[in-house]
Amino acid sequence: MDLVGHSDRSRASRVRGRRHSRVLSRYAGRPVRLIWRYVARRKVAHAVVLASVAAAVGFALASQYGIRNLIDALPHGRTHPRTVVYAFAVLVALIFADNLMWRVAGWVSSRAFVRVTGDIREDMFGYLMGHAPGFFADKPPGVLSSRVSATANAVYVIENTVAWTALPPTLTVIGAIVVVATVSLPMSLALVAVSALLTACLFWLARKGTSRHEAFASQAASVDGELVDVIGNMGLVRAFSAVHAEVRRFDGHLEAEALTRRRSLLYLEKLRILHALVTALLSAALLGWTLWLWTQGRASTGDVVLVGSLGFAILHGSRDVAVAFVDLTQHVARLAEASQTLLMPYSMPEPPKAIPLVVREATIDFENVSFAYPGRRRVLSDLTLHIEAGERVGLVGPSGAGKSTVLALLQHFYEPASGCVRIAGQDISYVTLDSLQRAISVVPQDVALFHRSLLENIRYGCPDATEADVRRACEDASCMDFIAALPDGLNAIAGDRGTKLSGGQRQRIAIARAILKNSPVLLLDEATSALDTSSEIVIQAALERLMKNRTVIAIAHRLSTLQSFDRIIVLNRGRVVQEGTPAQLATVPGIYRDTLARRNRRAPPHTLN
């Protein structure tokens, strides 16, 4: 019953994940809807922030009215002191309430805004992980990682800008116009008309500048990607004495970014200048109008002070709104660009009715499979191949023959153009990706390790394994000797992509990782290529233990590593041109025998990959 319940929960989790991914993809390039999605998750907290800011602005405007009442009460204050005291008390209470509301808004927002940032970063990363490998091959990792951060940071800046820079002055301007109506309704209506016209003009001009802001966002992301690319390949840079060349290249990227940033900022500054001129004229006209009313006896001294202070409030408030608005335009453009890249629809979405892969007999079948990478010639042409459960098969052939593509299709990194790939009789295009990945262990040629401890790297495919299990796997992979010599042993950090270890050490860590994962299908892609002769002998013994009772496909240019295999399949131009046991192929004219003959003549090693 527990297993059934776990299966049901896993299936429900996958369904929710697919639905979640489909929903997220709809927000690509739609920044406002994307922001609202995460704001809506915490409606109460955001409503409290909104209400607190509105109340604070209301109390601030009421304070202006309180000052007006105090000024009007002063001429009669000596004969009626109670009136002055009352006006003073009301003013102090309003000031106190104003500050209290700001603090409430700040306290609630410090939690809500941070949680929104965490939510969007988590969702962006989760969605990014669902893309097919081809998506990552086309985009530098630095560009993608910078966009995950840029998306979350843009939302955080937008929320803070709206709450603290845009909303308060907007409410202030609206409230000030309402208060002005108590002095002169025509004056208030004129303010409404001018404000509406000014806002519409600014909105139209800001939209015209969107392309400049998006260009800056794209260029900034490319600079981040260039940084990660160069730093990640620093060994290559130094090996080819290219430090100065890379610095010059990066300077070029910085100049391009600076140019797009200047264009974006200058456009924003033009909008600010336009707004400053209009609001300065508006404030002067407003104060002059009030003085004219005072000369006619239609406004008190307090009204003149009130309208004068409100005029400045409108001036500064509308200026702040304009600044916030144009800044928001830039951040919204960056959010749109980042979300457009990250939330692209999946090229290989998991089918809605995908079922778990059940492996009782780990047979492998390629049925008339054809495949070509995007924009390139066909790699596989009607490839048909059957591998029995428990069979050890070696793939050999010249470079570009399709050997690595066979392994990639078996892991469902790509979808065949035609035909299908089956494991245990199930078409892998219709099984869940998690179950497929659990069924396959891989020892690659270029071993990838995280910048984490060796313990975490080895049990990456089996996170629940005990340290004793890890040590046994290390013993079987013959890597416990060098691990024990490290100061921190299994807790030693591997370094970025495993740079603190030699190539042979990384290879043995990968073998230990595969041993611990214990999957029924094993893929070996040049698994001993980085080992010297003595290490290779030790590792071959470990691989013999690992391959026992498993279906194995191995790519190797050292033909000696395939002599114990059940079958060798020779590929050329995406087709099977020879197959048989190592002994049989050694006597048949063809690629395998020719390569074997060159090795026996002690010719330079011929690489088949």
Side-chain angles (χ1 to χ4, degrees):
M1 291 297 294
D2 290 340
L3 290 176
V4 173
H6 176 73
S7 176
D8 291 341
R9 288 192 297 272
S10 299
R11 189 178 298 109
S13 177
R14 288 194 300 272
V15 171
R16 285 194 301 271
R18 287 195 294 266
R19 188 183 301 117
H20 184 64
S21 297
R22 287 197 298 271
V23 169
L24 273 179
S25 64
R26 299 172 188 166
Y27 294 94
R30 297 179 175 179
V32 176
R33 290 184 60 192
L34 182 66
I35 294 171
W36 177 247
R37 169 184 171 82
Y38 292 95
V39 169
R41 288 186 182 180
R42 293 180 167 79
K43 294 179 181 177
V44 174
H46 285 84
V48 170
V49 173
L50 175 62
S52 299
V53 170
V57 172
F59 286 129
L61 289 171
S63 298
Q64 300 294 327
Y65 210 80
I67 292 174
R68 176 247 194 189
N69 289 338
L70 181 61
I71 291 173
D72 285 343
L74 286 177
H76 310 288
R78 291 185 177 88
T79 57
H80 299 88
R82 185 174 296 179
T83 305
V84 176
V85 172
Y86 177 76
F88 172 75
V90 170
L91 180 59
V92 170
L94 291 172
I95 294 173
F96 178 80
D98 174 18
N99 284 278
L100 177 62
M101 288 299 99
W102 282 119
R103 298 289 62 77
V104 170
W107 182 271
V108 176
S109 67
S110 65
R111 293 172 176 266
F113 293 178
V114 170
R115 286 177 178 172
V116 166
T117 304
D119 289 345
I120 194 168
R121 196 186 297 263
E122 179 182 356
D123 283 354
M124 291 300 107
F125 179 74
Y127 188 90
L128 181 64
M129 292 299 99
H131 280 292
F135 174 85
F136 299 95
D138 295 334
K139 295 175 177 61
V143 170
L144 296 177
S145 62
S146 70
R147 278 172 167 83
V148 172
S149 297
T151 304
N153 292 337
V155 172
Y156 182 76
V157 171
I158 289 169
E159 282 209 289
N160 276 279
T161 302
V162 169
W164 314 124
T165 310
L167 182 60
T170 300
L171 295 176
T172 298
V173 171
I174 295 173
I177 292 174
V178 172
V179 174
V180 168
T182 63
V183 177
S184 171
L185 183 59
M187 186 186 300
S188 179
L189 294 176
L191 280 173
V192 171
V194 173
S195 299
L197 180 62
L198 180 59
T199 301
C201 289
L202 285 173
F203 184 76
W204 179 73
L205 291 171
R207 284 182 63 87
K208 288 192 65 176
T210 299
S211 60
R212 293 176 172 85
H213 310 320
E214 289 179 344
F216 164 59
S218 178
Q219 194 64 41
S222 70
V223 169
D224 292 339
E226 190 73 15
L227 267 175
V228 173
D229 191 34
V230 173
I231 293 173
N233 291 282
M234 189 54 68
L236 179 65
V237 172
R238 291 191 176 276
F240 285 86
S241 303
V243 172
H244 296 297
E246 289 298 337
V247 170
R248 289 194 298 272
R249 175 186 170 89
F250 187 67
D251 285 345
H253 283 280
L254 288 179
E255 288 178 7
E257 182 201 25
L259 178 61
T260 57
R261 173 174 281 188
R262 281 196 300 272
R263 288 174 178 171
S264 175
L265 293 177
L266 286 174
Y267 190 82
L268 297 179
E269 196 58 36
K270 291 175 183 177
L271 294 182
R272 294 186 181 114
I273 292 172
L274 172 64
H275 175 266
L277 290 173
V278 173
T279 52
L281 293 173
L282 179 63
S283 298
L286 186 65
L287 185 57
W289 192 343
T290 309
L291 287 172
W292 178 76
L293 291 175
W294 176 78
T295 61
Q296 303 246 330
R298 294 161 58 187
S300 67
T301 305
D303 288 335
V304 174
V305 174
L306 174 64
V307 174
S309 62
L310 290 177
F312 284 112
I314 294 172
L315 169 64
H316 294 298
S318 58
R319 181 192 61 200
D320 292 342
V321 170
V323 170
F325 182 75
V326 293
D327 285 346
L328 280 173
T329 302
Q330 191 175 51
H331 292 296
V332 168
R334 186 157 195 178
L335 176 60
E337 191 275 338
S339 64
Q340 185 70 52
T341 300
L342 296 175
L343 298 180
M344 289 177 60
Y346 291 153
S347 59
M348 292 175 57
E350 189 173 272
K353 296 184 179 180
I355 60 175
L357 176 65
V358 179
V359 181
R360 294 185 177 89
E361 297 290 330
T363 58
I364 296 174
D365 290 280
F366 283 73
E367 300 178 359
N368 304 112
V369 173
S370 296
F371 176 76
Y373 294 100
R376 294 162 59 182
R377 66 174 180 82
R378 181 174 291 187
V379 181
L380 300 180
S381 300
D382 295 321
L383 177 67
T384 297
L385 179 62
H386 175 74
I387 300 175
E388 291 288 347
E391 188 178 11
R392 304 179 185 182
V393 173
L395 296 182
V396 299
S399 178
K403 304 182 298 298
S404 296
T405 302
V406 168
L407 300 193
L409 291 177
L410 187 59
Q411 297 173 79
H412 203 206
F413 287 172
Y414 304 94
E415 195 71 52
S418 62
C420 70
V421 181
R422 300 182 186 273
I423 296 180
Q426 293 180 259
D427 188 339
I428 64 173
S429 295
Y430 299 99
V431 303
T432 62
L433 190 57
D434 284 343
S435 64
L436 175 65
Q437 292 167 341
R438 285 196 299 270
I440 300 174
S441 291
V442 184
V443 180
Q445 178 181 9
D446 182 17
V447 177
L449 298 178
F450 289 101
H451 186 66
R452 304 172 189 173
S453 70
L454 297 181
L455 181 65
E456 291 175 283
N457 273 288
I458 293 171
R459 65 181 177 194
Y460 191 69
C462 188
D464 296 330
T466 65
E467 187 169 334
D469 294 333
V470 173
R471 290 183 178 277
R472 281 192 294 272
C474 291
E475 292 287 354
D476 289 341
S478 300
C479 58
M480 202 62 222
D481 52 347
F482 76 80
I483 291 176
L486 297 173
D488 296 321
L490 282 170
N491 293 317
I493 301 299
D496 182 38
R497 298 186 61 83
T499 52
K500 291 187 177 182
L501 304 176
S502 69
Q505 289 172 337
R506 290 197 298 272
Q507 206 86 43
R508 283 184 275 178
I509 291 294
I511 293 171
R513 184 166 57 190
I515 291 172
L516 191 64
K517 189 178 179 185
N518 194 27
S519 301
V521 176
L522 176 65
L523 306 182
L524 305 176
D525 186 0
E526 302 288 1
T528 61
S529 63
L531 303 176
D532 53 38
T533 303
S534 60
S535 296
E536 182 182 356
I537 295 172
V538 176
I539 293 303
Q540 281 296 336
L543 288 175
E544 285 294 327
R545 293 190 292 271
L546 173 61
M547 290 187 291
K548 188 176 181 180
N549 299 323
R550 288 179 173 81
T551 304
V552 181
I553 300 180
I555 298 175
H557 73 272
R558 292 184 182 181
L559 300 185
S560 60
T561 63
L562 303 177
Q563 295 309 301
S564 63
F565 276 48
D566 301 311
R567 186 160 44 125
I568 303 295
I569 294 175
V570 182
L571 295 177
N572 192 21
R573 296 183 179 180
R575 299 179 182 274
V576 176
V577 294
Q578 286 182 299
E579 64 176 304
T581 66
Q584 290 172 339
L585 292 183
T587 62
V588 178
I591 295 173
Y592 184 87
R593 194 181 75 169
D594 293 344
T595 305
L596 200 60
R598 278 192 292 269
R599 188 199 67 177
N600 292 336
R601 291 197 302 268
R602 298 181 183 277
H606 176 75
T607 301
L608 290 173
N609 299 286

